[in-house]
Each structure stands twice: as structure tokens, then as C-alpha cells.
Amino acid sequence: MKLYNLGKVSWKESQLIYHALALCGKEALCLLSPASPYVCIGFHQDVTQEVDLEYCRQNHIPVFRREVGGGAVFLDGNQLFFQLILHRNSPHAPKQIDAFYRKFLQPIINVHHRIGVPATFKPVNDLVVRQRKISGTGAGEIGDSIVFVGNLILDFDYETMSRVLKIPDEKFRDKVKKSIEENLSTIGRELGQESLNRWDETTLNDLMSKEFEKILGPFTTGRMDAVLIDKIQELKTTMLNDRWLYRKAKQLTGRVVKVRAGLEMVQRMHKAAGGLIKTNFQIREGKLTNINITGDFFCFPHTLVQDMEKHLEGAALEDIRKIIMAVYDDSMNQIPGVTIEDWMTIIKK
């Protein structure tokens, strides 16, 4: 298998190279980092709903749609990418996705351990340290290949990440930023800046290549040959244009920001017959937390919604319907034009 140990490359190449290798049917491991910042969105996302395009334009931050799923992320040179490309039927690739992630995240876990960071695997595809996510990963099919991508996060720009996301209001943006800061760690944060300075990009890439060799066998040096260069040029015409970027997905009625496995920040809107309902809350390990309900509906007594928030706080997702039904079973409680199904739509959608 080929190893493309490329170091710093342009932000465009940092994405196009693994797409090109996959479409050429070349098995490889790429190790690289982008020379400048950009935003990368998942294949199924609607960029107009996910990204604050005006902020990105004003701050000269490019936006790219990858052909791998997942969410919108801010990427820069403080993140060292690993990109593994395998044939769809490779004997190296487990068929079950959980086994796939466990196998190919183990080299990255080992690298963290070798530099003093006690990272552990958290299904489906997260690495965590003391419950904080410390690596973003994803897998998908491109052509006849399986692509597995992820990063070593040396440092992270929490402020810019919260700004490039399209957030309906600044209050929710502040909550998103705080949640990301609390739940996403970095190697620098875990080791301290002085210890981090011992590990440069070349050394860390070398550690990654050696750990992947333990499960894939020896690598040979990959070179940017004419076939690969031509495919990258071809992809520039199809993946760097507005038609690809502005592919439309299902219209969203709110925002869901996945901070790590088991923690999502949610903001939703739903138009019921009795008025517009807005909610924002967290889903933490399958339970609702920090729930806030607003809107232009009517309720009697006027404290009913606050009481609902108290009952829903800390509730498991599977108990939501039972809790709401109990509210409606009390004849003193009335929310004209808002049904149990309306609440289920906006909370457990």
C-alpha cells in the first residue's frame, strides 16, 4: 500500500487528494494538513442551512462539500489529517461499521498514548479523553473505495468554529461555543503547550504511519503521478463549483450540532395550529438537558410550559411521550391548537 506523507498542502488538495485516490481505485494512506483554514461540510448537508456563508465570505474562509457524510467542521493547520483509502472488498476492512471504526481508530489511539494522552474509543466513531472528544472521524464510500478520514487536533479555534456555523440567534451561538469548549479537547490542552512543542508535524505523521503499518503491512512511498494529478484537476472542475457546493438537502426547521458522541445541541421550530413553538436543548447520553421552550402559542395556566420544562429536564428520550401525555391528562392544563404529536415533532423528531 502507498503512503502519501505530504505535510502541508493547499486546503483544496487536502480534500481532493483522497477523493482522487478513491476514484482511481488506489489504496493508500495520506498524512497531511491544510496550509490555510476552511470549512468542510458533509455530503448530505445543505450549505445554506449549515454555514454562515456571509461570515465566511467576509473573512475569506472557503467552504467545501466532501463526499463523506457527517457535519460541518472548521479545519486548519493545527489539525493533522489521516486519510485511509481501501478497496470496497479489501480484506483489511471489516464489514460491520463498529468493527471498522474500532480497528482503524486503534492506530490513532496508540499515537495519543505514545505522546501521553489517554484517549479511548467511544462508539460509534469518537475518541475521547475524560469524556471530551479529541478526534473527529468519518467513513464513507467514494466510487468503489471506502474512505476513512480523521485528525489529530493539536489546537482548536473554538471561536471561529462557533462563528462559521449558521446559528439562528446569538444566544444559542454562545451556548454552542460554550458546549464545544467544554466537550472538545485538543492534544495541546491535554499536554500543555510546553509538552506539545516536543511533537512536530513530521514526528506525529511518522508515528501515525508506523501505527497503521502494524495492521496494514509495510508502506511504499506514494508519488503524485500523472494519473492522480489529472484526476485532481478533473475534480477541481466538479467539486470546487457552486453547483456542487449548493446541492440542496431537505429544508431544515432548526439546527442540530453534534459536539461529540452522546452530546448534541438542538434548536428546532415547529408551526402547530395553535402557534409557532421553538425549543433549544441538549441531548446528553440519551437524556434531555437544558431545555428551553418559547413561542407564540397560548397556554393555561401561564406557568404550564415552565412546569413542562421541569418535568422534561433529565428525561430519557423514550420517556418523553409519557411525560407529555401526563401533562395533557390533567384537565386543568390547556394549550389550544398544540397536540401531543406537535411536542413529539419538535422534541423527539
Side-chain angles (χ1 to χ4, degrees), residues 4 8 10 12 17 23 32 87 90 108 132 143 145 151 178 193 200 214 237 276 306 317 326 332 337:
Y4 292 82
K8 284 281 187 292
S10 72
K12 297 174 185 177
I17 188 166
L23 292 170
L32 52 90
H87 294 314
S90 169
I108 306 306
R132 292 192 183 104
S145 300
N151 54 13
K178 182 179 179 183
Q193 190 60 46
D200 60 26
K214 292 178 181 179
T237 66
L276 182 68
Q306 287 87 342
L317 294 180
M332 297 298 291

Side-chain angles (χ1 to χ4, degrees), residues 27-66:
E27 292 194 312
L29 175 68
C30 298
L31 302 174
L32 52 90
S33 63
S36 58
Y38 64 103
V39 173
C40 188
I41 67 168
F43 178 66
H44 303 289
Q45 293 188 298
D46 183 337
V47 69
T48 64
Q49 297 288 327
E50 302 291 341
V51 178
D52 188 334
L53 293 169
E54 180 60 21
Y55 176 86
C56 290
R57 185 189 66 78
Q58 291 177 356
N59 290 274
H60 310 291
I61 301 173
V63 182
F64 179 85
R65 178 190 298 280
R66 62 186 180 271

Side-chain angles (χ1 to χ4, degrees), residues 184-284:
L184 176 66
S185 193
T186 69
I187 292 173
R189 186 170 174 179
E190 296 299 323
L191 294 180
Q193 190 60 46
E194 185 175 343
S195 296
L196 176 61
N197 291 339
R198 295 171 49 206
W199 305 104
D200 60 26
E201 183 167 353
T202 300
T203 303
L204 290 169
N205 283 345
D206 186 55
L207 289 177
M208 283 196 282
S209 67
K210 284 181 168 57
E211 291 296 333
F212 273 106
E213 275 190 330
K214 292 178 181 179
I215 57 175
L216 294 170
F219 294 116
T220 58
T221 301
R223 304 189 186 283
M224 302 289 284
D225 59 25
V227 173
L228 185 56
I229 292 171
D230 287 347
K231 179 57 71 172
I232 290 174
Q233 292 303 315
E234 178 187 327
L235 290 176
K236 285 181 178 180
T237 66
T238 58
M239 299 190 78
L240 298 178
N241 62 42
D242 285 350
R243 184 176 180 182
W244 172 258
L245 180 62
Y246 287 91
R247 283 167 49 103
K248 289 293 183 181
K250 181 179 178 181
Q251 188 73 7
L252 299 178
T253 53
R255 291 288 283 112
V256 179
V257 179
K258 181 181 177 183
V259 178
R260 59 167 172 80
L263 177 60
E264 294 180 336
M265 302 283 295
V266 182
Q267 185 175 67
R268 291 196 181 117
M269 296 179 288
H270 172 65
K271 182 66 175 177
L276 182 68
I277 309 170
K278 299 180 181 180
T279 61
N280 63 72
F281 52 90
Q282 293 182 4
I283 301 177
R284 184 183 291 271

Side-chain angles (χ1 to χ4, degrees), residues 268 270 272 277 279 281 288 291 293 297 299-300 304-313 315-335 337-349:
R268 291 196 181 117
H270 172 65
I277 309 170
T279 61
F281 52 90
L288 293 183
I291 186 164
I293 301 170
F297 53 87
C299 67
F300 307 92
L304 178 56
V305 167
Q306 287 87 342
D307 291 338
M308 284 180 61
E309 290 173 346
K310 291 176 183 177
H311 290 306
L312 289 167
E313 184 68 28
L317 294 180
E318 58 267 24
D319 294 335
I320 292 172
R321 182 180 290 275
K322 180 171 63 177
I323 292 169
I324 296 173
M325 287 178 65
V327 172
Y328 276 71
D329 284 343
D330 186 338
S331 60
M332 297 298 291
N333 296 333
Q334 299 180 58
I335 313 177
V338 180
T339 67
I340 292 173
E341 294 308 317
D342 289 321
W343 291 111
M344 293 302 295
T345 295
I346 197 167
I347 296 175
K348 202 183 175 183
K349 186 174 181 180

Side-chain angles (χ1 to χ4, degrees), residues 72 156 158-184 255-259 263-267 280-282:
F156 194 76
Y158 299 98
E159 177 66 30
T160 302
M161 177 64 187
S162 69
R163 285 300 295 117
V164 299
L165 296 176
K166 188 165 187 177
I167 304 296
D169 60 71
E170 292 307 310
K171 184 177 180 180
F172 188 63
R173 188 187 302 282
D174 290 341
K175 290 182 178 181
V176 168
K177 180 174 180 286
K178 182 179 179 183
S179 184
I180 294 173
E181 289 175 338
E182 290 175 348
N183 291 278
L184 176 66
R255 291 288 283 112
V256 179
V257 179
K258 181 181 177 183
V259 178
L263 177 60
E264 294 180 336
M265 302 283 295
V266 182
Q267 185 175 67
N280 63 72
F281 52 90
Q282 293 182 4

Side-chain angles (χ1 to χ4, degrees), residues 144-157:
D144 292 324
S145 300
I146 301 171
V147 174
F148 174 53
V149 297
N151 54 13
L152 294 183
I153 306 175
L154 307 182
D155 197 2
F156 194 76
D157 188 340

Side-chain angles (χ1 to χ4, degrees), residues 73-84:
V73 289
F74 175 73
L75 303 172
D76 64 14
N78 285 315
Q79 300 167 53
L80 310 186
F81 300 170
F82 56 88
Q83 301 164 345
L84 178 64

